[in-house]
Amino acid sequence: KNEVEQSPQNLTAQEGEFITINCSYSVGISALHWLQQHPGGGIVSLFMLSSGKKKHGRLIATINIQEKHSSLHITASHPRDSAVYICAVRKYSGGGADGLTFGKGTHLIIQP
Amino acid sequence: DGGITQSPKYLFRKEGQNVTLSCEQNLNHDAMYWYRQDPGQGLRLIYYSQIVNDFQKGDIAEGYSVSREKKESFPLTVTSAQKNPTAFYLCASSSTDRGNSPLHFGNGTRLTVT
């Protein structure tokens, strides 16, 4: 079982819908990152959080440390939100040599 | 604008040839990373560097080599020893290492070896 699991793997929704992408992890972490990968391949860091909730524009990220779960929400979704969303965790010990373990990503398509 | 530049965007090579992927950043970041992305898999770390003239192997370093002669540059060489080099390669940087500061990524290089 992967230490970082994202769901769903694929999501297609209509413009304007409220979107939720989930990330569950099975290890102790010090931080969690949400990344956005555009169709061309470039990746943008959306959030880094270790507790509570962060908001930037139409994007909201929450984390529940006790439940080892984080969600990324998109309000009033738009076709330009179509991308792959990646969750990555910084483990307290182990993990990759950079301390990060990445999920496989959620492929989101927003149809007009 | 500050950022990370990877070049080229697409690269084609014949099997048995070494190839070098460029990564340059003007963010004044100390830490730089090379990741490999394959379909259906999470990003995997190839090499990383915390400071000039120093670098460490990541999880899948075999068949790759790097150098860090300047703070802003971290080129990756894919050698003929890499058994399955066709992949999407991403360079990243951060102000500190160990994943506790935001990562900044380049736009990637798609390498195809035939």
Side-chain angles (χ1 to χ4, degrees), chain A residues 36-44 84 86, chain B residues 6-11 21 33-46 60 64 76 78 82 84-92 105-113:
Chain A
Q36 179 191 52
Q37 185 169 31
H38 293 286
I43 293 179
V44 174
V84 176
I86 300 169
Chain B
Q6 287 188 245
S7 61
K9 188 171 177 65
Y10 299 96
L11 192 53
L21 282 58
Y33 313 83
W34 273 105
Y35 293 96
R36 172 181 171 137
Q37 187 177 40
D38 294 283
Q41 295 194 40
L43 294 172
R44 292 183 292 167
L45 181 69
I46 304 172
I60 54 165
Y64 299 98
L76 173 74
V78 185
Q82 167 51 231
N84 187 17
T86 295
F88 188 60
Y89 292 88
L90 284 154
C91 179
F105 286 86
N107 286 328
T109 292
R110 190 166 299 279
L111 173 65
T112 302
V113 177

Short mmCIF file of all heavy atoms in Angstrom, two decimals, chain A residues 36-44 84 86, chain B residues 6-11 21 33-46 60 64 76 78 82 84-92 105-113:
data_model
loop_
_atom_site.label_atom_id
_atom_site.label_comp_id
_atom_site.label_asym_id
_atom_site.label_seq_id
_atom_site.Cartn_x
_atom_site.Cartn_y
_atom_site.Cartn_z
N GLN A 36 0.12 21.62 -8.36
CA GLN A 36 -0.73 21.58 -9.55
C GLN A 36 0.17 21.41 -10.77
O GLN A 36 1.10 22.21 -10.96
CB GLN A 36 -1.52 22.88 -9.68
CG GLN A 36 -2.42 22.95 -10.90
CD GLN A 36 -2.96 24.37 -11.10
OE1 GLN A 36 -2.21 25.34 -11.13
NE2 GLN A 36 -4.28 24.50 -11.23
N GLN A 37 -0.11 20.38 -11.56
CA GLN A 37 0.67 20.14 -12.78
C GLN A 37 -0.19 20.42 -13.99
O GLN A 37 -1.22 19.77 -14.21
CB GLN A 37 1.20 18.72 -12.84
CG GLN A 37 2.12 18.47 -14.05
CD GLN A 37 2.86 17.15 -13.95
OE1 GLN A 37 2.37 16.18 -13.39
NE2 GLN A 37 4.06 17.11 -14.51
N HIS A 38 0.23 21.39 -14.78
CA HIS A 38 -0.52 21.80 -15.97
C HIS A 38 -0.32 20.79 -17.09
O HIS A 38 0.66 20.02 -17.08
CB HIS A 38 -0.07 23.18 -16.40
CG HIS A 38 -0.45 24.24 -15.40
ND1 HIS A 38 -1.74 24.69 -15.26
CD2 HIS A 38 0.28 24.90 -14.48
CE1 HIS A 38 -1.77 25.60 -14.31
NE2 HIS A 38 -0.57 25.74 -13.81
N PRO A 39 -1.21 20.80 -18.10
CA PRO A 39 -1.08 19.84 -19.21
C PRO A 39 0.28 19.86 -19.88
O PRO A 39 0.75 18.85 -20.36
CB PRO A 39 -2.20 20.28 -20.16
CG PRO A 39 -3.22 20.89 -19.27
CD PRO A 39 -2.45 21.57 -18.17
N GLY A 40 0.96 21.00 -19.90
CA GLY A 40 2.29 21.07 -20.50
C GLY A 40 3.37 20.42 -19.66
O GLY A 40 4.49 20.19 -20.14
N GLY A 41 3.08 20.14 -18.39
CA GLY A 41 4.02 19.43 -17.53
C GLY A 41 4.58 20.25 -16.38
O GLY A 41 5.04 19.68 -15.40
N GLY A 42 4.55 21.58 -16.48
CA GLY A 42 5.09 22.39 -15.41
C GLY A 42 4.29 22.24 -14.12
O GLY A 42 3.07 22.00 -14.15
N ILE A 43 4.96 22.33 -12.99
CA ILE A 43 4.31 22.15 -11.68
C ILE A 43 4.40 23.44 -10.89
O ILE A 43 5.44 24.09 -10.85
CB ILE A 43 4.97 21.00 -10.90
CG1 ILE A 43 4.69 19.66 -11.59
CG2 ILE A 43 4.46 20.96 -9.46
CD1 ILE A 43 5.32 18.46 -10.91
N VAL A 44 3.27 23.78 -10.24
CA VAL A 44 3.19 24.96 -9.40
C VAL A 44 2.84 24.52 -7.98
O VAL A 44 1.97 23.67 -7.80
CB VAL A 44 2.12 25.93 -9.92
CG1 VAL A 44 1.94 27.10 -8.96
CG2 VAL A 44 2.49 26.43 -11.30
N VAL A 84 -3.46 18.17 -13.24
CA VAL A 84 -3.22 17.08 -12.29
C VAL A 84 -2.83 17.70 -10.95
O VAL A 84 -1.94 18.56 -10.91
CB VAL A 84 -2.12 16.12 -12.78
CG1 VAL A 84 -1.82 15.06 -11.73
CG2 VAL A 84 -2.52 15.47 -14.10
N ILE A 86 -1.34 17.11 -7.20
CA ILE A 86 -0.45 16.16 -6.55
C ILE A 86 -0.30 16.52 -5.08
O ILE A 86 -0.06 17.68 -4.74
CB ILE A 86 0.94 16.15 -7.23
CG1 ILE A 86 0.81 15.74 -8.70
CG2 ILE A 86 1.90 15.23 -6.50
CD1 ILE A 86 2.08 15.96 -9.51
N GLN B 6 14.18 25.08 -17.54
CA GLN B 6 14.69 23.81 -18.00
C GLN B 6 14.74 23.81 -19.51
O GLN B 6 13.83 24.30 -20.18
CB GLN B 6 13.79 22.66 -17.54
CG GLN B 6 13.88 22.36 -16.08
CD GLN B 6 13.11 21.09 -15.72
OE1 GLN B 6 12.14 21.14 -14.99
NE2 GLN B 6 13.57 19.96 -16.24
N SER B 7 15.82 23.26 -20.03
CA SER B 7 15.90 23.17 -21.49
C SER B 7 16.65 21.90 -21.88
O SER B 7 17.51 21.42 -21.14
CB SER B 7 16.62 24.41 -22.06
OG SER B 7 17.93 24.49 -21.56
N PRO B 8 16.31 21.35 -23.06
CA PRO B 8 15.18 21.74 -23.90
C PRO B 8 13.87 21.17 -23.36
O PRO B 8 13.89 20.40 -22.41
CB PRO B 8 15.54 21.10 -25.25
CG PRO B 8 16.27 19.86 -24.87
CD PRO B 8 17.05 20.21 -23.63
N LYS B 9 12.75 21.51 -23.98
CA LYS B 9 11.45 20.99 -23.56
C LYS B 9 11.30 19.53 -24.01
O LYS B 9 10.75 18.70 -23.30
CB LYS B 9 10.33 21.84 -24.15
CG LYS B 9 8.96 21.50 -23.60
CD LYS B 9 7.94 22.52 -24.07
CE LYS B 9 6.53 22.16 -23.61
NZ LYS B 9 6.39 22.22 -22.15
N TYR B 10 11.77 19.25 -25.22
CA TYR B 10 11.73 17.90 -25.76
C TYR B 10 13.14 17.51 -26.21
O TYR B 10 13.86 18.33 -26.78
CB TYR B 10 10.79 17.79 -26.96
CG TYR B 10 9.35 18.12 -26.64
CD1 TYR B 10 8.84 19.39 -26.87
CD2 TYR B 10 8.50 17.14 -26.10
CE1 TYR B 10 7.52 19.69 -26.56
CE2 TYR B 10 7.19 17.43 -25.80
CZ TYR B 10 6.71 18.72 -26.03
OH TYR B 10 5.41 19.01 -25.73
N LEU B 11 13.50 16.27 -25.97
CA LEU B 11 14.84 15.79 -26.30
C LEU B 11 14.75 14.36 -26.80
O LEU B 11 14.10 13.52 -26.17
CB LEU B 11 15.74 15.88 -25.08
CG LEU B 11 17.24 15.72 -25.23
CD1 LEU B 11 17.80 16.64 -26.28
CD2 LEU B 11 17.92 15.98 -23.90
N LEU B 21 20.60 17.35 -19.40
CA LEU B 21 19.44 18.22 -19.28
C LEU B 21 19.84 19.43 -18.43
O LEU B 21 20.46 19.29 -17.38
CB LEU B 21 18.29 17.48 -18.59
CG LEU B 21 17.48 16.48 -19.41
CD1 LEU B 21 18.33 15.38 -20.02
CD2 LEU B 21 16.38 15.89 -18.55
N TYR B 33 16.82 20.10 -6.93
CA TYR B 33 16.42 18.69 -7.01
C TYR B 33 16.15 18.29 -8.46
O TYR B 33 15.71 19.11 -9.25
CB TYR B 33 15.12 18.45 -6.22
CG TYR B 33 15.06 19.06 -4.85
CD1 TYR B 33 14.72 20.40 -4.67
CD2 TYR B 33 15.35 18.30 -3.72
CE1 TYR B 33 14.65 20.95 -3.41
CE2 TYR B 33 15.27 18.85 -2.45
CZ TYR B 33 14.94 20.18 -2.31
OH TYR B 33 14.88 20.74 -1.06
N TRP B 34 16.38 17.02 -8.75
CA TRP B 34 15.94 16.44 -10.01
C TRP B 34 14.99 15.29 -9.71
O TRP B 34 15.30 14.40 -8.91
CB TRP B 34 17.11 15.90 -10.82
CG TRP B 34 17.75 16.92 -11.71
CD1 TRP B 34 18.94 17.55 -11.51
CD2 TRP B 34 17.23 17.44 -12.93
NE1 TRP B 34 19.20 18.42 -12.54
CE2 TRP B 34 18.15 18.38 -13.43
CE3 TRP B 34 16.06 17.21 -13.66
CZ2 TRP B 34 17.97 19.08 -14.62
CZ3 TRP B 34 15.87 17.89 -14.84
CH2 TRP B 34 16.82 18.82 -15.32
N TYR B 35 13.81 15.34 -10.36
CA TYR B 35 12.81 14.29 -10.21
C TYR B 35 12.54 13.66 -11.58
O TYR B 35 12.63 14.31 -12.60
CB TYR B 35 11.49 14.84 -9.67
CG TYR B 35 11.55 15.35 -8.26
CD1 TYR B 35 11.75 16.71 -8.00
CD2 TYR B 35 11.40 14.48 -7.18
CE1 TYR B 35 11.79 17.18 -6.70
CE2 TYR B 35 11.44 14.95 -5.88
CZ TYR B 35 11.63 16.30 -5.65
OH TYR B 35 11.68 16.76 -4.36
N ARG B 36 12.11 12.42 -11.51
CA ARG B 36 11.65 11.72 -12.71
C ARG B 36 10.17 11.40 -12.53
O ARG B 36 9.74 11.00 -11.43
CB ARG B 36 12.45 10.43 -12.87
CG ARG B 36 11.95 9.51 -13.95
CD ARG B 36 12.77 8.26 -14.05
NE ARG B 36 12.11 7.32 -14.96
CZ ARG B 36 12.76 6.61 -15.88
NH1 ARG B 36 14.08 6.68 -15.97
NH2 ARG B 36 12.09 5.79 -16.67
N GLN B 37 9.38 11.59 -13.59
CA GLN B 37 7.96 11.28 -13.54
C GLN B 37 7.62 10.29 -14.65
O GLN B 37 7.91 10.54 -15.82
CB GLN B 37 7.12 12.56 -13.70
CG GLN B 37 5.63 12.33 -13.49
CD GLN B 37 4.85 13.62 -13.59
OE1 GLN B 37 5.12 14.47 -14.42
NE2 GLN B 37 3.86 13.78 -12.71
N ASP B 38 7.02 9.17 -14.27
CA ASP B 38 6.55 8.17 -15.21
C ASP B 38 5.04 8.04 -15.09
O ASP B 38 4.49 8.28 -14.01
CB ASP B 38 7.22 6.82 -14.93
CG ASP B 38 8.72 6.85 -15.18
OD1 ASP B 38 9.10 6.80 -16.36
OD2 ASP B 38 9.49 6.95 -14.20
N PRO B 39 4.38 7.65 -16.18
CA PRO B 39 2.91 7.55 -16.13
C PRO B 39 2.43 6.66 -14.99
O PRO B 39 2.95 5.56 -14.78
CB PRO B 39 2.58 6.91 -17.50
CG PRO B 39 3.72 7.31 -18.38
CD PRO B 39 4.93 7.32 -17.50
N GLY B 40 1.44 7.16 -14.24
CA GLY B 40 0.85 6.36 -13.17
C GLY B 40 1.68 6.27 -11.91
O GLY B 40 1.34 5.52 -11.00
N GLN B 41 2.79 7.00 -11.84
CA GLN B 41 3.64 6.96 -10.65
C GLN B 41 3.84 8.35 -10.08
O GLN B 41 3.75 9.34 -10.80
CB GLN B 41 5.01 6.37 -11.00
CG GLN B 41 4.98 4.92 -11.45
CD GLN B 41 6.37 4.31 -11.45
OE1 GLN B 41 7.16 4.56 -10.55
NE2 GLN B 41 6.65 3.50 -12.45
N GLY B 42 4.13 8.40 -8.80
CA GLY B 42 4.48 9.67 -8.18
C GLY B 42 5.88 10.09 -8.59
O GLY B 42 6.67 9.29 -9.09
N LEU B 43 6.20 11.35 -8.35
CA LEU B 43 7.55 11.85 -8.64
C LEU B 43 8.57 11.07 -7.81
O LEU B 43 8.34 10.76 -6.64
CB LEU B 43 7.64 13.33 -8.28
CG LEU B 43 6.80 14.29 -9.10
CD1 LEU B 43 6.86 15.68 -8.51
CD2 LEU B 43 7.27 14.29 -10.54
N ARG B 44 9.69 10.77 -8.43
CA ARG B 44 10.77 10.07 -7.73
C ARG B 44 12.06 10.89 -7.82
O ARG B 44 12.40 11.41 -8.88
CB ARG B 44 10.97 8.67 -8.33
CG ARG B 44 9.80 7.73 -8.08
CD ARG B 44 10.08 6.34 -8.63
NE ARG B 44 10.12 6.32 -10.08
CZ ARG B 44 10.59 5.29 -10.79
NH1 ARG B 44 11.07 4.23 -10.18
NH2 ARG B 44 10.57 5.35 -12.12
N LEU B 45 12.77 10.98 -6.71
CA LEU B 45 13.95 11.82 -6.61
C LEU B 45 15.17 11.12 -7.19
O LEU B 45 15.49 10.00 -6.81
CB LEU B 45 14.20 12.18 -5.13
CG LEU B 45 15.39 13.08 -4.85
CD1 LEU B 45 15.13 14.48 -5.39
CD2 LEU B 45 15.66 13.12 -3.35
N ILE B 46 15.88 11.82 -8.07
CA ILE B 46 17.09 11.27 -8.68
C ILE B 46 18.33 11.73 -7.92
O ILE B 46 19.11 10.92 -7.44
CB ILE B 46 17.21 11.70 -10.16
CG1 ILE B 46 15.95 11.30 -10.94
CG2 ILE B 46 18.44 11.07 -10.80
CD1 ILE B 46 15.90 11.87 -12.36
N ILE B 60 16.60 7.01 -6.94
CA ILE B 60 16.80 6.29 -8.20
C ILE B 60 17.98 6.88 -8.97
O ILE B 60 17.89 7.21 -10.14
CB ILE B 60 15.52 6.31 -9.08
CG1 ILE B 60 15.02 7.75 -9.30
CG2 ILE B 60 14.41 5.47 -8.44
CD1 ILE B 60 14.00 7.86 -10.42
N TYR B 64 22.48 7.97 -13.62
CA TYR B 64 22.43 9.43 -13.72
C TYR B 64 23.65 10.05 -13.05
O TYR B 64 24.25 9.44 -12.16
CB TYR B 64 21.18 9.99 -13.04
CG TYR B 64 19.87 9.52 -13.60
CD1 TYR B 64 19.17 8.48 -13.00
CD2 TYR B 64 19.31 10.13 -14.72
CE1 TYR B 64 17.96 8.04 -13.50
CE2 TYR B 64 18.10 9.70 -15.23
CZ TYR B 64 17.43 8.66 -14.62
OH TYR B 64 16.23 8.24 -15.12
N LEU B 76 21.70 17.73 -15.21
CA LEU B 76 21.55 16.29 -15.02
C LEU B 76 22.00 15.57 -16.29
O LEU B 76 21.52 15.89 -17.38
CB LEU B 76 20.10 15.94 -14.74
CG LEU B 76 19.73 14.45 -14.69
CD1 LEU B 76 20.24 13.83 -13.39
CD2 LEU B 76 18.22 14.25 -14.80
N VAL B 78 21.97 12.01 -18.22
CA VAL B 78 21.41 10.67 -18.30
C VAL B 78 22.41 9.83 -19.08
O VAL B 78 22.67 10.10 -20.26
CB VAL B 78 20.04 10.69 -19.00
CG1 VAL B 78 19.41 9.31 -18.97
CG2 VAL B 78 19.12 11.72 -18.34
N GLN B 82 21.69 4.04 -17.76
CA GLN B 82 20.30 4.12 -17.30
C GLN B 82 19.47 3.20 -18.19
O GLN B 82 19.35 3.43 -19.40
CB GLN B 82 19.80 5.56 -17.34
CG GLN B 82 18.30 5.75 -17.18
CD GLN B 82 17.68 5.05 -15.99
OE1 GLN B 82 16.70 4.32 -16.12
NE2 GLN B 82 18.25 5.24 -14.83
N ASN B 84 16.23 2.54 -18.46
CA ASN B 84 14.94 2.97 -19.01
C ASN B 84 14.84 4.49 -18.94
O ASN B 84 14.12 5.02 -18.10
CB ASN B 84 13.81 2.31 -18.22
CG ASN B 84 12.45 2.56 -18.83
OD1 ASN B 84 12.35 2.94 -20.00
ND2 ASN B 84 11.42 2.37 -18.06
N PRO B 85 15.59 5.20 -19.79
CA PRO B 85 15.71 6.64 -19.63
C PRO B 85 14.53 7.46 -20.15
O PRO B 85 14.41 8.63 -19.79
CB PRO B 85 16.97 6.97 -20.45
CG PRO B 85 16.99 5.91 -21.50
CD PRO B 85 16.46 4.66 -20.84
N THR B 86 13.68 6.89 -20.95
CA THR B 86 12.55 7.65 -21.50
C THR B 86 11.60 8.02 -20.37
O THR B 86 11.04 7.14 -19.71
CB THR B 86 11.82 6.84 -22.58
OG1 THR B 86 12.70 6.64 -23.69
CG2 THR B 86 10.56 7.55 -23.04
N ALA B 87 11.44 9.32 -20.13
CA ALA B 87 10.61 9.79 -19.02
C ALA B 87 10.51 11.31 -19.10
O ALA B 87 11.12 11.96 -19.95
CB ALA B 87 11.22 9.39 -17.68
N PHE B 88 9.72 11.86 -18.19
CA PHE B 88 9.60 13.30 -18.03
C PHE B 88 10.44 13.69 -16.82
O PHE B 88 10.28 13.12 -15.74
CB PHE B 88 8.12 13.67 -17.83
CG PHE B 88 7.84 15.13 -17.82
CD1 PHE B 88 8.14 15.91 -18.93
CD2 PHE B 88 7.26 15.74 -16.74
CE1 PHE B 88 7.87 17.27 -18.96
CE2 PHE B 88 6.98 17.10 -16.75
CZ PHE B 88 7.30 17.87 -17.85
N TYR B 89 11.36 14.66 -17.00
CA TYR B 89 12.28 15.04 -15.95
C TYR B 89 11.97 16.45 -15.47
O TYR B 89 11.86 17.39 -16.27
CB TYR B 89 13.72 14.97 -16.46
CG TYR B 89 14.18 13.55 -16.73
CD1 TYR B 89 13.95 12.95 -17.97
CD2 TYR B 89 14.80 12.80 -15.74
CE1 TYR B 89 14.34 11.64 -18.21
CE2 TYR B 89 15.20 11.50 -15.97
CZ TYR B 89 14.96 10.92 -17.21
OH TYR B 89 15.35 9.62 -17.44
N LEU B 90 11.85 16.59 -14.17
CA LEU B 90 11.52 17.88 -13.55
C LEU B 90 12.63 18.32 -12.61
O LEU B 90 13.11 17.54 -11.80
CB LEU B 90 10.22 17.77 -12.76
CG LEU B 90 8.96 17.75 -13.61
CD1 LEU B 90 7.84 17.03 -12.89
CD2 LEU B 90 8.53 19.17 -13.97
N CYS B 91 13.01 19.57 -12.72
CA CYS B 91 13.97 20.19 -11.82
C CYS B 91 13.21 21.08 -10.86
O CYS B 91 12.20 21.70 -11.24
CB CYS B 91 14.97 20.99 -12.64
SG CYS B 91 16.23 21.84 -11.67
N ALA B 92 13.65 21.15 -9.61
CA ALA B 92 12.99 21.98 -8.62
C ALA B 92 14.03 22.63 -7.72
O ALA B 92 15.19 22.19 -7.66
CB ALA B 92 12.00 21.16 -7.79
N PHE B 105 9.19 24.58 -9.30
CA PHE B 105 9.50 23.63 -10.36
C PHE B 105 9.73 24.33 -11.70
O PHE B 105 9.12 25.38 -11.97
CB PHE B 105 8.36 22.63 -10.54
CG PHE B 105 8.28 21.58 -9.46
CD1 PHE B 105 7.58 21.83 -8.30
CD2 PHE B 105 8.88 20.34 -9.62
CE1 PHE B 105 7.49 20.86 -7.30
CE2 PHE B 105 8.80 19.36 -8.64
CZ PHE B 105 8.11 19.63 -7.47
N GLY B 106 10.54 23.70 -12.52
CA GLY B 106 10.65 24.09 -13.91
C GLY B 106 9.52 23.47 -14.71
O GLY B 106 8.68 22.75 -14.17
N ASN B 107 9.51 23.71 -16.02
CA ASN B 107 8.45 23.18 -16.88
C ASN B 107 8.76 21.79 -17.40
O ASN B 107 7.95 21.20 -18.12
CB ASN B 107 8.20 24.12 -18.05
CG ASN B 107 7.46 25.37 -17.61
OD1 ASN B 107 6.65 25.32 -16.69
ND2 ASN B 107 7.75 26.48 -18.25
N GLY B 108 9.92 21.26 -17.06
CA GLY B 108 10.22 19.88 -17.39
C GLY B 108 10.85 19.67 -18.75
O GLY B 108 10.74 20.52 -19.65
N THR B 109 11.53 18.54 -18.89
CA THR B 109 12.10 18.09 -20.17
C THR B 109 11.60 16.68 -20.42
O THR B 109 11.75 15.81 -19.56
CB THR B 109 13.64 18.08 -20.14
OG1 THR B 109 14.13 19.42 -20.06
CG2 THR B 109 14.21 17.42 -21.41
N ARG B 110 11.00 16.49 -21.60
CA ARG B 110 10.53 15.14 -21.96
C ARG B 110 11.61 14.48 -22.81
O ARG B 110 11.87 14.91 -23.92
CB ARG B 110 9.20 15.20 -22.70
CG ARG B 110 8.56 13.83 -22.86
CD ARG B 110 7.11 13.93 -23.28
NE ARG B 110 6.28 14.62 -22.33
CZ ARG B 110 5.77 14.10 -21.23
NH1 ARG B 110 6.01 12.83 -20.94
NH2 ARG B 110 5.00 14.82 -20.43
N LEU B 111 12.22 13.44 -22.27
CA LEU B 111 13.31 12.73 -22.95
C LEU B 111 12.78 11.44 -23.56
O LEU B 111 12.13 10.66 -22.87
CB LEU B 111 14.44 12.42 -21.96
CG LEU B 111 15.57 11.53 -22.49
CD1 LEU B 111 16.33 12.22 -23.61
CD2 LEU B 111 16.52 11.15 -21.35
N THR B 112 13.07 11.25 -24.83
CA THR B 112 12.71 10.01 -25.51
C THR B 112 13.98 9.38 -26.07
O THR B 112 14.71 10.02 -26.82
CB THR B 112 11.73 10.25 -26.67
OG1 THR B 112 10.55 10.89 -26.14
CG2 THR B 112 11.33 8.95 -27.33
N VAL B 113 14.24 8.16 -25.66
CA VAL B 113 15.42 7.42 -26.13
C VAL B 113 14.96 6.23 -26.93
O VAL B 113 14.13 5.43 -26.47
CB VAL B 113 16.29 6.97 -24.94
CG1 VAL B 113 17.48 6.15 -25.43
CG2 VAL B 113 16.78 8.18 -24.16
#
